[in-house]
Amino acid sequence: MPLVLVFLCTLAPILAAFVMYNNPQWWPDDSSNYGTLIEPQRPMPSASELQLTTLEGKPFDLQSLKGKWLLLSVGEAACPESCARKLFITRNSHASQGKNVDRLARVWFITDDGDVPAKVLEAYQGTIMVRARPEQLARFLVARDAGAPTTPTSGQPSDSPVPSLSNSSSSGQSALSAPSDLLGPIWVIDPLGNLMLQFPPEADGVKVRKDISKLIYSSRIG
């Protein structure tokens, strides 16, 4: 009997954390006072629904990162100041987690075929950089046009496992430009693979970091 009590006492905090996490209406008012909860949460798409490639052109499956908290941002390869600012915020929010740093990863979705500047590659080492189709990202991140057919790029079948983003343009830019509602925010995916939090465009880096710290500290998943 004592062993059963010890087991129940050990299990209780984990069950309580799981129940609280899945019932955000019970969270204290100040626990998510900056980022906006995504309701309902959206599951991470499969590799066929969100076709990603690394900078080396190899296929990448976002599902391979399940089990970690993911900090997401979207931008063009040239990465102007607004893009670099988001990469800076996600890097600092990640690095500031101390002993919990290995529970997170950060992902930058690049929406064209342009070259990433060397200074960006150097400054944000550790960020997972993958190329993505803007229309597929929009279906997942902003739940827009989920039922619309994907328009294939020129000369590329729509079911290709490793899509090209370019339209044989000499500039190397994507034929499909990313909309502003993709380029602005920062998002969070939980370790179960659910898109669950969004930070606004021009986000306050300190407030983002505090929200992430609260999530990681109070969660026993990931």
Side-chain angles (χ1 to χ4, degrees):
M1 187 66 178
L3 289 177
V4 174
L5 291 176
V6 171
F7 176 75
L8 291 175
C9 290
T10 303
L11 191 61
I14 299 175
L15 290 174
F18 182 81
V19 171
M20 284 293 291
Y21 175 77
N22 285 281
N23 291 274
Q25 68 272 19
W26 298 344
W27 294 6
D29 289 341
D30 62 350
S31 65
S32 57
N33 60 342
Y34 187 61
T36 301
L37 289 171
I38 295 174
E39 298 179 325
Q41 296 179 358
R42 295 193 285 278
M44 190 184 294
S46 66
S48 61
E49 295 171 318
L50 184 58
Q51 299 172 38
L52 306 173
T53 58
T54 66
L55 296 184
E56 294 76 31
K58 297 179 180 179
F60 184 85
D61 187 354
L62 193 62
Q63 299 262 359
S64 66
L65 299 176
K66 264 190 176 180
K68 290 182 178 288
W69 291 92
L70 304 182
L71 310 182
L72 314 178
S73 61
V74 180
E76 299 170 347
C79 198
E81 183 179 354
S82 58
C83 162
R85 184 175 182 276
K86 289 185 297 180
L87 294 179
F88 177 83
I89 290 173
T90 56
R91 184 192 66 185
N92 284 11
S93 297
H94 183 188
S96 66
Q97 299 310 312
K99 65 180 182 180
N100 291 316
V101 70
D102 290 336
R103 296 173 64 191
L104 299 93
R106 54 191 192 273
V107 181
W108 178 32
F109 296 112
I110 302 169
T111 59
D112 59 38
D113 276 342
D115 294 329
V116 178
K119 62 181 181 182
V120 174
L121 294 173
E122 181 179 355
Y124 301 106
Q125 293 181 37
T127 298
I128 298 168
M129 302 180 183
V130 290
R131 301 191 192 272
R133 289 183 172 184
E135 77 277 11
Q136 292 182 344
L137 278 178
R139 292 189 181 101
F140 173 46
L141 295 178
V142 297
R144 182 162 39 74
D145 292 335
T150 300
T151 302
T153 55
S154 175
Q156 182 75 27
S158 60
D159 59 352
S160 170
V162 187
S164 171
L165 295 176
S166 66
N167 189 23
S168 64
S169 166
S170 60
S171 65
Q173 298 301 306
S174 171
L176 291 166
S177 59
S180 58
D181 52 357
L182 275 180
L183 297 178
I186 294 170
W187 290 270
V188 177
I189 294 178
D190 69 25
L192 301 178
N194 297 311
L195 186 70
M196 50 81 62
L197 192 66
Q198 176 178 322
F199 295 105
E202 302 298 326
D204 183 311
V206 174
K207 292 181 179 179
V208 170
R209 187 182 72 234
K210 287 182 177 179
D211 268 18
I212 298 300
S213 296
K214 289 175 184 177
L215 274 176
I216 302 303
Y217 179 80
S218 63
S219 172
R220 291 180 181 269
I221 59 174

